[in-house]
Amino acid sequence: MAISAPFNAAAAAYGNASRLVTQSAKPAMDLTASTGGTGTNFAQVLAQTVQGVVDTGNKSDNMAIDMVNGKANVVDMVTALSETEIAIESMVTVRDRVISAYEEIMRMPI
């Protein structure tokens, strides 16, 4: 059994993937900019980022439920899964770099 997809669906999927790559290359917020003399709290930025990952995962879950119920198409489902995957990979990369920085600080002589 072969799955046939129209050219427009394939083009739309490629366009969505391209948009995801472009969005992931841009930082979500400028951490160096100050807001009226008060800098951005790292804990707040981290909490917002984690919440963004959770929201993306929830969106993907809802899309999967809609797909099972026949209310969503395959392209939207794949796009939602790709967004979730990119968000999780970004969060894991940030975690790894924070741990690496902490370990480097702990190795510094006092």
Side-chain angles (χ1 to χ4, degrees), residues 18-93:
S18 176
R19 180 182 51 82
L20 289 174
V21 170
T22 304
Q23 285 178 350
S24 67
K26 296 180 206 170
M29 58 182 69
D30 185 11
L31 299 178
T32 60
S34 64
T35 55
T38 60
T40 305
N41 186 357
F42 179 73
Q44 291 172 344
V45 171
L46 191 61
Q48 290 171 355
T49 304
V50 170
Q51 187 59 45
V53 171
V54 170
D55 292 343
T56 304
N58 288 338
K59 177 182 169 189
S60 180
D61 288 345
N62 290 337
M63 187 68 65
I65 291 170
D66 288 345
M67 182 73 179
V68 170
N69 292 330
K71 296 178 183 176
N73 64 22
V74 176
V75 174
D76 292 338
M77 179 64 196
V78 171
T79 302
L81 288 174
S82 296
E83 288 176 353
T84 302
E85 183 180 10
I86 288 172
I88 290 172
E89 287 176 358
S90 298
M91 212 45 220
V92 168
T93 301

Side-chain angles (χ1 to χ4, degrees), residues 1-7 9-10 74:
M1 179 172 123
I3 298 175
S4 63
F7 177 76
V74 176

